[in-house]
């Protein structure tokens, strides 16, 4: 058995406590003035007005009785900031306190309305509300996209209106139309429809409808955010805004291409009435049929009027028929006259044509051709004989100017074992193998140290010099220098080559040799380990090493000139023969053409 705890606290019933709280609040506050923003505003059929006064932290319920509501100077609207005058009391049935409002006066825009106005000004400054950027709705879309809640009454109203007016394909993008995630979902729905490819598995809509039923400012606030407004402004598909009732205005209404007062009105804007279209087409068909019938009747009447003014076909053809009869009468006589004229010309021409004429012409052409052939052969033989004589003359000139002639006069050409001409005595050393070329052949020799090296004498006796020449050696030297092979007036290899080219019919370029000025050198003292070398040549055949050098170069140049001359002469002969043959063929062809023209 438990013992009850004794207490001095009084016990109240629920009604007694509620009445005590009510009396305490009414006695303490009495008549008060409260400033706040109107939130929820409800007007039931009884005529009373239930509303909420709120600020950024608290909410106070309020009620305006029917008698006081009729006397208010301002109509309570959601988002309006007001100053309410009344008294505080409680409502025991729900254990809450509330304010009985007697008078109400506006105190300025509410916080939400001020924020909405700020966003409107911002987007308007960016040009999102400009009329020129509004897109035109398609006349008859095949697919309509709807961004709304799939479970509300809005989508049923839209589908019902679409079925009544013009049944088309409707796609629904389900979103939340209230709450914190409403704005992002609506923006994603608009962008999702725009991202659908044309011709894909899911058809791309031709027009979009963003719809929601009516509600308070707080309920519709998701459509006042920037995210859905910017998504609608960026849409490539025309968008119809149908948020709330006709008195509700949201931010998306300003950026949409068209604003509908209700979701049902949006469906009416998107689609025409099928029955009206059918009736209109029928009326246009009847009008077109009547216009065509009237046009045909008018054209038919015009044709009958014009046909009466035209002449008869027999009158038009009478003159032509007369000219035809006259021409046909003259035709037979014209044919007879033309045939007789042609026969006369044929007889006259046949009398001039004889086989002997053709035979004489052919004989004459053959004689001319044989004569031209004989002349061509004679010219070719004469040309070849002339070139052969020129070649023989040039060959004799080459032989007379060749270094072989120098060797025949008693000179010798000294070369080393590699065939290089030895031009100076000081370049020969003891024991060196040499090749000495004479007029009748070559011998191999080896140098030995017989006499020391010394400069060659200024003049050397010529074994073929006569006694008179020996008594006047300076005159002989001058003669040799003036007319000999090594003299200043001797014919050089360049002169020979130029002369040969001139004979061949080509223009040669002469090169002028510049005189060389040589400085006399002192005899070189032979080295200690080098002994003088003397070539085993007879005294009467010894020549200066400079003569050997010049003769070797002249020989080489003469050989090259001879080869070039031979090739040039052959080419010249062949070229001239070809030109003569070509000219003969051309002359023969011209004469044949002349003969043929004469015959025919």
């Amino acid at each position: 058995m438990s013992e009850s705890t004794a207490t001095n606290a009084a016990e109240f019933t629920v009604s007694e406590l509620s009445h005590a709280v009510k009396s305490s609040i009414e006695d303490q506050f009495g008549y008060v003035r409260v400033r706040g923003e109107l939130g929820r505003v409800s007007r039931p059929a009884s005529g009373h007005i239930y509303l909420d006064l709120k600020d950024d932290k608290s909410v106070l319920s309020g009620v305006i009785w029917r008698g006081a509501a009729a006397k208010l100077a301002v109509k309570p609207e959601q988002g309006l900031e007001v100053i309410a005058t009344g008294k505080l009391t409680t409502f025991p049935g729900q254990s809450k306190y509330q304010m009985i409002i007697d008078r109400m006066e506006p105190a300025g825009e509410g916080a939400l309305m001020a924020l909405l106005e700020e966003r409107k000004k911002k987007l308007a400054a960016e040009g999102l509300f400009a009329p020129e950027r509004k897109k035109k709705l398609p006349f008859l879309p095949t697919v309509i996209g709807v961004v709304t809640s799939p479970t509300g009454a809005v989508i049923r109203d839209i589908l019902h209106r679409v079925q009544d007016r013009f049944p088309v394909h409707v796609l629904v993008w389900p979103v939340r139309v209230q709450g914190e995630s409403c704005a992002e979902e609506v923006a994603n729905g608009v962008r999702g429809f725009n991202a659908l490819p044309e011709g894909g598995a899911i058809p791309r809509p031709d027009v979009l409808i963003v719809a929601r039923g009516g509600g308070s400012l707080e309920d519709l606030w998701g459509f006042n955010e920037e995210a859905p407004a910017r998504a609608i402004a960026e849409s490539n598909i025309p968008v119809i805004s149908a948020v709330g009732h006709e008195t509700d205005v949201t931010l998306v209404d300003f950026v949409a291409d068209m604003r509908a007062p209700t979701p049902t009105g949006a469906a009416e804007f998107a689609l025409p009435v099928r029955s009206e279209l059918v009736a209109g087409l029928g009326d246009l068909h009847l009008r077109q049929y009547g216009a065509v019938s009237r046009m045909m009747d008018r054209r038919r009447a015009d044709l009958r009027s014009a046909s009466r003014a035209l002449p008869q076909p027999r009158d038009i053809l009478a003159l032509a028929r007369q000219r035809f009869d006259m021409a046909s009468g003259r035709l037979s006589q014209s044919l007879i006259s033309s045939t007789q004229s042609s026969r006369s010309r044929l007889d006259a021409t046949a009398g001039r044509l004889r086989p002997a004429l053709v035979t004489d012409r052919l004989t004459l052409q053959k004689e001319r051709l044989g004569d031209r052939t004989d002349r061509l052969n004679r010219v070719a033989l004469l040309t070849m004989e002339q070139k052969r004589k020129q070649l023989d003359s040039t060959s004799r000139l080459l032989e007379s100017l060749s270094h072989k002639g120098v060797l025949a006069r008693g000179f010798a050409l000294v070369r080393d074992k590699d065939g290089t001409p030895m031009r100076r005595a000081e370049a020969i050393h003891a024991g060196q193998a040499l090749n000495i070329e004479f007029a009748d052949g070559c011998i191999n020799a080896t140098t030995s140290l017989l006499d020391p090296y010394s400069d060659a004498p200024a003049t050397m006796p010529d074994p073929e010099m006569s006694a008179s020449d020996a008594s006047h050696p300076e005159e002989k030297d001058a003669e040799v220098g003036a007319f000999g092979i090594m003299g200043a007036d001797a014919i050089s290899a360049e002169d020979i080559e130029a002369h040969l080219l001139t004979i061949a019919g080509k223009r040669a370029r002469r090169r002028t040799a510049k005189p060389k000025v040589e400085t006399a050198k002192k005899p070189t003292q032979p080295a200690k380990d080098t002994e003088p070398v003397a070539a085993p040549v007879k005294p009467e055949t010894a020549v200066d090493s400079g003569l050997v050098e010049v003769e070797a170069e002249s020989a080489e140049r003469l050989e090259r000139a001879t080869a070039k001359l031979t090739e040039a002469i052959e080419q010249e002969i062949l070229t001239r023969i070809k030109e003569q043959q070509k000219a003969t063929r051309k002359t023969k062809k011209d004469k044949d053409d002349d003969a043929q023209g004469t015959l025919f």
Side-chain angles (χ1 to χ4, degrees):
M1 182 176 180
S2 61
E3 296 179 357
S4 60
T5 303
T7 178
N8 294 327
E11 295 181 355
F12 298 94
T13 63
V14 175
S15 298
E16 292 174 347
L17 183 58
S18 298
H19 182 72
V21 172
K22 179 179 180 181
S23 300
S24 176
I25 292 177
E26 291 178 352
D27 293 341
Q28 183 178 357
F29 291 96
Y31 208 73
V32 295
R33 288 169 57 87
V34 180
R35 180 168 181 164
E37 180 182 349
L38 292 180
R40 178 185 58 87
V41 178
S42 177
R43 294 180 176 85
S46 60
H48 306 310
I49 299 176
Y50 298 96
L51 51 83
D52 291 335
L53 285 172
K54 61 182 180 179
D55 56 14
D56 57 345
K57 295 181 180 180
S58 303
V59 179
L60 175 63
S61 298
V63 59
I64 304 175
W65 303 124
R66 183 173 54 186
K71 300 177 181 180
L72 293 178
V74 60
K75 182 179 179 180
E77 293 182 359
Q78 186 176 359
L80 183 64
E81 188 174 1
V82 297
I83 298 176
T85 304
K87 62 179 180 179
L88 290 180
T89 184
T90 62
F91 180 55
Q94 294 184 356
S95 298
K96 67 176 183 178
Y97 68 96
Q98 60 185 7
M99 181 179 180
I100 306 300
I101 300 174
D102 297 334
R103 294 192 309 272
M104 182 180 294
E105 57 187 12
E109 295 180 348
L112 295 179
M113 295 299 295
L115 180 59
L116 179 60
E117 289 297 327
E118 181 181 356
R119 289 177 179 173
K120 286 172 57 178
K121 293 179 181 178
K122 177 181 177 182
L123 297 181
E126 296 179 8
L128 300 185
F129 301 163
E132 57 270 14
R133 61 171 304 277
K134 304 291 184 182
K135 293 178 285 294
K136 186 177 180 181
L137 300 180
F139 174 72
L140 187 60
T142 57
V143 180
I144 298 177
V146 181
V147 181
T148 187
S149 174
T151 58
V154 173
I155 187 62
R156 291 194 295 272
D157 294 341
I158 292 176
L159 294 176
H160 179 71
R161 182 58 64 184
V162 169
Q163 187 67 26
D164 291 343
R165 293 178 67 86
F166 203 107
V168 294
H169 192 188
V170 178
L171 295 178
V172 180
W173 193 288
V175 296
R176 292 185 178 90
V177 294
Q178 185 175 345
E180 297 181 357
S181 62
C182 169
E184 291 297 332
E185 292 186 10
V186 172
N188 292 336
V190 174
R191 293 192 179 97
F193 275 129
N194 280 271
L196 292 176
E198 296 183 359
I202 301 177
R204 178 173 176 159
D206 299 320
V207 65
L208 298 180
I209 299 177
V210 179
R212 187 203 187 282
S216 63
L217 181 62
E218 291 84 354
D219 297 338
L220 302 179
W221 190 253
F223 296 91
N224 290 322
E225 298 288 347
E226 290 190 21
R230 293 188 181 277
I232 293 174
E234 296 170 359
S235 174
N236 295 324
I237 304 174
V239 180
I240 301 175
S241 172
V243 179
H245 297 295
E246 187 173 0
T247 57
D248 297 324
V249 179
T250 59
L251 199 60
V252 298
D253 295 336
F254 296 97
V255 296
D257 298 301
M258 179 172 286
R259 177 183 180 272
T262 60
T264 304
E268 294 176 356
F269 288 154
L271 291 170
V273 180
R274 185 176 181 275
S275 58
E276 294 179 357
L277 293 178
V278 173
L281 288 176
D283 181 61
L284 292 176
H285 175 69
L286 292 177
R287 292 175 59 187
Q288 183 184 22
Y289 179 77
V292 172
S293 298
R294 289 190 297 273
M295 182 186 68
M296 295 299 295
D297 294 339
R298 186 171 62 255
R299 296 288 178 84
R300 191 178 293 108
D302 295 341
L303 181 61
R304 285 196 296 267
S305 300
S307 63
R308 285 193 295 268
L310 293 175
Q312 294 297 325
R314 60 178 178 273
D315 297 335
I316 298 174
L317 297 177
L319 183 60
R321 183 180 294 108
Q322 184 179 359
R323 289 198 300 268
F324 178 74
D325 294 339
M326 294 176 63
S328 61
R330 294 193 302 268
L331 180 61
S332 57
Q333 186 63 30
S334 299
L335 289 175
I336 295 172
S337 300
S338 177
T339 303
Q340 292 177 353
S341 176
S342 299
R343 183 179 292 107
S344 300
R345 289 197 302 270
L346 179 61
D347 295 339
T349 304
R352 294 195 300 269
L353 295 177
R354 303 189 309 276
L357 181 62
V358 179
T359 304
D360 295 342
R361 293 290 183 182
L362 291 177
T363 303
L364 179 61
Q365 294 297 327
K366 289 181 180 180
E367 292 176 356
R368 290 180 178 178
L369 180 61
D371 181 60
R372 295 298 175 87
T373 303
D374 296 338
R375 292 175 60 187
L376 178 62
N377 293 333
R378 288 195 299 273
V379 170
L381 293 176
L382 291 176
T383 302
M384 293 181 64
E385 185 65 24
Q386 182 181 3
K387 295 299 180 181
R388 185 177 296 106
K389 290 180 180 179
Q390 292 179 355
L391 180 60
D392 294 341
S393 175
T394 305
S395 300
R396 288 192 297 270
L397 179 60
L398 289 176
E399 291 177 359
S400 63
L401 297 178
S402 176
H403 72 287
K404 300 293 185 179
V406 179
L407 296 180
R409 292 201 300 271
F411 294 95
L413 179 61
V414 182
R415 296 188 181 92
D416 61 3
K417 62 180 181 179
D418 297 327
T420 303
M422 304 303 293
R423 297 178 174 84
R424 302 184 65 85
E426 61 182 4
I428 301 175
H429 55 81
Q432 183 177 359
L434 300 176
N435 179 270
I436 303 174
E437 181 179 356
F438 298 94
D440 56 348
C442 299
I443 63 171
N444 295 325
T446 303
T447 60
S448 63
L449 299 178
L450 298 179
D451 296 321
Y453 165 77
S454 60
D455 291 339
T459 58
M460 296 182 67
D462 190 349
E464 299 180 0
M465 185 181 303
S466 61
S468 60
D469 294 336
S471 62
H472 301 284
E474 64 279 1
E475 297 180 0
K476 181 64 176 179
D477 293 341
E479 181 181 359
V480 172
F483 304 102
I485 190 65
M486 296 302 295
D489 296 334
I491 300 177
S492 62
E494 290 86 348
D495 297 335
I496 297 173
E497 182 179 355
H499 178 66
L500 295 179
L501 293 177
T502 304
I503 295 175
K506 298 184 179 179
R507 186 176 180 181
R509 295 173 55 186
R510 298 293 302 272
R511 292 179 295 180
T512 304
K514 296 181 180 180
K516 297 182 179 179
V517 180
E518 297 184 357
T519 304
K521 298 182 179 179
K522 295 182 180 181
T524 304
Q525 188 68 23
K528 294 181 180 181
D529 54 351
T530 304
E531 296 181 358
V533 180
V537 184
K538 296 179 180 180
E540 60 274 8
T541 61
V543 295
D544 187 76
S545 59
L547 178 61
V548 175
E549 176 184 0
V550 173
E551 292 297 331
E553 294 179 356
S554 299
E556 294 177 0
R557 289 156 64 180
L558 287 173
E559 291 177 359
R560 291 195 300 269
T562 303
K564 291 182 179 179
L565 176 61
T566 303
E567 183 179 358
I569 292 174
E570 292 177 354
Q571 292 294 333
E572 183 68 18
I573 292 173
L574 292 176
T575 302
R576 294 190 179 183
I577 292 175
K578 290 180 180 179
E579 291 177 354
Q580 292 176 359
Q581 292 177 352
K582 183 177 180 181
T584 302
R585 287 195 298 269
K586 183 177 180 181
T587 304
K588 178 182 178 182
K589 181 178 179 181
D590 294 340
K591 292 184 176 182
D592 291 341
D593 294 340
D594 296 340
Q596 184 178 2
T598 304
L599 289 174
F600 298 103

